[in-house]
């Protein structure tokens, strides 16, 4: 599954620095607005100690983790929805993503220019979110203008549902609020997918704090403001020092662990961000294991066994017969598949089986 998260925010808030840390690449992180024009794309491994443990157990030729794509999208400014600062181009890049990571500047530094001249995280969030709202409002109004007459004249059921949905969305957007969080019927949800609304995308706020504030995060007022704002949206807020994370990304695994231990942390802010982005999209992991390969694979919660088989290859889904299934916890307890079978922990599941996070599958199929 190709999963994409777009990193957005005002210019000079730390987006490209965060991206560098995530991908350990060398994207320009210049101290001026619009240093990034085309979206840089980087792929990051989703941290999962289960993959490491399975690899130790099966000693395969290859170990493959599940991955996540992050897009570094250029800084938005006031008026982006009207084309200011190449805004339309940037907004189109956000449309291509599954989720939004909004980076908010929470650190003071007179040497780094702020496009609004002062550090005010809530104001910055509202600038970005209003531009996304205005872009969605334009999309909504344009479509309504095209379909209202057709719905009124034809009385077509689907057109009527669409008009009612867009009218509801338009009222919401005109109040300055995002579509995110509204509830929809099954028919409305199907129509909604056609529009790729920006404010319908799930969001995580990243509070980019200084290294000193990270060590004493509960006393960082700017972080607490972002956390409170996110809470009102039922969104997550993750404190990260992008500069530290960019430096950490250059270390070896052992050096990184040692550094985190000195900070009293068990995982980096970036690891938390990647895991949160994965969770945000309602994703889970199943595994395929053997002497050739141990591999983590991403699936949407609620998917059936044949759909998971199809993630490996479409033929697996078409010719699905059954799946041999056991859990990660069970194989870690019994250590090998023979002992697992003797303990009755290996199950045979059919087409109606709902996959669970941590399942280990062997699919049987015939095409």
């Amino acid at each position: 599954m190709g999963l994409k998260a777009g990193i957005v925010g005002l210019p000079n808030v730390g987006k490209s620095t965060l991206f560098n840390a995530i991908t350990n690449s060398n994207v320009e992180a210049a101290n001026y607005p619009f240093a990034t024009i085309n979206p840089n794309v980087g792929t990051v491994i989703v941290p999962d100690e289960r993959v490491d443990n399975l690899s130790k157990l099966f000693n395969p030729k290859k170990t493959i983790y599940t991955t996540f794509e992050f897009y570094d999208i250029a800084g938005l400014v006031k008026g982006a929805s009207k084309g200011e600062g190449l805004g339309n181009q940037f907004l189109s890049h956000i449309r291509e993503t599954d989720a939004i990571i909004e980076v908010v500047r929470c650190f003071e530094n007179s040497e780094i220019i702020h496009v609004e001249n002062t550090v005010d995280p809530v104001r910055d969030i509202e600038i970005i979110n209003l531009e996304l709202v205005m872009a969605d409002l334009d999309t909504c109004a344009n479509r309504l203008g095209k379909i209202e007459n057709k719905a009124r004249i034809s009385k077509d059921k689907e057109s009527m549902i669409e008009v009612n949905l867009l009218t509801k969305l338009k009222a919401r957007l005109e109040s300055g609020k995002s579509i995110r969080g509204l509830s929809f019927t099954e028919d409305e949800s199907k129509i909604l997918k056609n529009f790729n609304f920006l404010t319908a995308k799930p969001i995580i706020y990243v509070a980019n704090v200084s290294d000193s504030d990270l060590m004493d995060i509960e006393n960082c007022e700017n972080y607490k403001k972002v956390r409170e704002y996110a809470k009102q949206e039922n969104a997550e807020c993750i404190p990260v020092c992008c500069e530290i994370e960019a430096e950490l990304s250059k270390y070896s695994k052992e050096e990184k662990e040692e550094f985190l231990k000195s900070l009293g942390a068990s995982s980096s802010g970036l690891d938390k961000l990647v895991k949160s982005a994965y969770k945000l999209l309602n994703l889970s992991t199943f595994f395929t294991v053997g002497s050739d390969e141990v591999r983590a694979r991403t699936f949407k919660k609620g998917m059936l066994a044949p759909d998971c088989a199809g993630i490996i290859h479409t033929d697996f889904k078409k010719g699905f017969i059954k799946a041999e299934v056991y859990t990660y916890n069970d194989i870690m307890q019994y250590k090998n598949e023979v002992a697992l079978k003797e303990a009755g922990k290996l199950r045979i599941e059919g087409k109606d089986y709902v996959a669970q996070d941590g399942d280990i599958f062997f699919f049987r199929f015939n095409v």
Side-chain angles (χ1 to χ4, degrees):
M1 297 177 71
L3 304 165
K4 304 173 186 175
I7 304 173
V8 305
L10 292 174
N12 300 338
V13 297
K15 299 183 313 303
S16 294
T17 306
L18 177 66
F19 180 83
N20 290 346
I22 287 173
T23 61
N24 199 15
S25 60
N26 294 303
V27 176
E28 185 176 15
N31 180 24
Y32 55 87
F34 313 119
T36 310
I37 295 176
N38 294 317
N40 300 288
V41 184
T43 302
V44 59
I45 287 172
V46 177
D48 194 334
E49 65 178 9
R50 295 175 298 179
V51 180
D52 301 324
N53 292 335
L54 288 170
S55 187
K56 289 174 186 174
L57 199 61
F58 286 89
N59 194 27
K61 295 173 185 174
K62 289 191 297 183
T63 299
I64 303 174
Y65 297 78
T66 188
T67 59
F68 209 108
E69 280 189 350
F70 282 85
Y71 279 47
D72 177 32
I73 297 169
L76 294 170
V77 293
K78 282 181 182 177
S81 59
K82 302 298 180 185
E84 293 294 327
L86 302 178
N88 288 333
Q89 183 181 344
F90 301 161
L91 290 167
S92 71
H93 294 151
I94 302 172
R95 291 192 195 282
E96 297 172 9
T97 66
D98 301 301
I100 295 173
I101 310 298
E102 186 166 332
V103 182
V104 187
R105 179 170 168 176
C106 292
F107 65 89
E108 300 282 350
N109 187 329
S110 60
E111 295 181 3
I112 298 178
I113 301 163
H114 192 295
V115 73
E116 293 292 324
N117 298 318
T118 58
V119 175
D120 183 339
V122 172
R123 176 206 59 205
D124 293 355
I125 290 171
E126 290 178 343
I127 288 172
I128 295 294
N129 290 0
L130 182 59
E131 293 306 323
L132 302 184
V133 164
M134 295 303 292
D136 280 353
L137 186 56
D138 282 347
T139 300
C140 198
N142 289 339
R143 179 59 181 168
L144 264 175
K146 292 177 182 177
I147 198 173
E148 274 182 309
N149 284 340
K150 176 188 172 183
R152 188 177 65 252
I153 295 167
S154 68
K155 303 295 182 185
D156 174 66
K157 181 184 175 184
E158 188 171 323
S159 296
M160 293 292 289
I161 293 172
E162 184 174 341
V163 167
N164 290 335
L165 170 63
L166 291 173
T167 302
K168 177 170 73 173
L169 297 182
K170 185 169 178 281
R172 171 84 170 184
L173 294 164
E174 284 176 337
S175 71
K177 296 178 180 177
S178 68
I179 295 168
R180 194 182 310 110
L182 287 177
S183 57
F184 303 101
T185 66
E186 188 175 337
D187 288 336
E188 287 176 334
S189 295
K190 287 178 183 176
I191 293 170
L192 196 63
K193 287 179 182 178
N194 298 326
F195 292 95
N196 213 3
F197 284 117
L198 301 173
T199 66
K201 296 180 185 294
I203 191 168
I204 294 174
Y205 292 98
V206 170
N208 185 13
V209 300
S210 67
D211 54 353
S212 58
D213 281 331
L214 188 64
M215 298 290 288
D216 188 22
I217 197 63
E218 287 305 320
N219 286 317
C220 177
E221 292 303 318
N222 283 333
Y223 161 68
K224 288 195 284 187
K225 288 175 184 177
V226 178
R227 184 178 63 185
E228 187 58 34
Y229 190 98
K231 187 178 179 181
Q232 292 170 11
E233 286 198 343
N234 291 318
E236 190 168 358
C237 172
I238 299 175
V240 173
C241 177
C242 294
E243 287 291 346
I244 285 181
E245 298 292 344
E247 191 64 33
L248 263 179
S249 68
K250 301 171 187 175
Y251 293 176
S252 69
K253 185 178 179 181
E254 292 74 20
E255 289 172 329
K256 183 177 176 180
E257 287 174 354
E258 191 63 34
F259 184 81
L260 288 171
K261 193 182 294 182
S262 72
L263 295 176
S266 57
S267 61
S268 72
L270 291 185
D271 284 349
K272 293 174 184 174
L273 174 59
V274 174
K275 287 181 178 179
S276 293
Y278 197 71
K279 183 180 177 183
L280 184 70
L281 293 172
N282 203 29
L283 303 174
S284 291
T285 303
F286 74 85
F287 305 98
T288 50
V289 300
S291 57
D292 286 336
E293 178 183 279
V294 164
R295 182 166 187 156
R297 300 179 187 270
T298 302
F299 71 98
K300 284 269 190 184
K301 288 180 182 176
M303 285 179 69
L304 300 178
D307 297 317
C308 289
I311 290 171
I312 301 174
H313 197 287
T314 53
D315 284 350
F316 284 25
K317 180 177 180 179
K318 289 176 185 175
F320 180 91
I321 300 171
K322 58 185 174 181
E324 294 181 5
V325 192
Y326 56 86
T327 69
Y328 165 80
N329 288 336
D330 284 341
I331 192 64
M332 295 292 33
Q333 178 182 346
Y334 291 95
K335 303 303 181 186
N336 63 68
E337 292 181 346
V338 173
L340 198 97
K341 289 178 183 178
E342 290 175 351
K345 296 295 183 179
L346 190 147
R347 313 185 311 275
I348 303 298
E349 300 288 358
K351 294 182 178 180
D352 295 331
Y353 175 68
V354 179
Q356 302 297 312
D357 184 57
D359 276 349
I360 298 172
F361 281 116
F362 178 78
F363 296 108
R364 294 188 180 181
F365 70 102
N366 182 29
V367 176

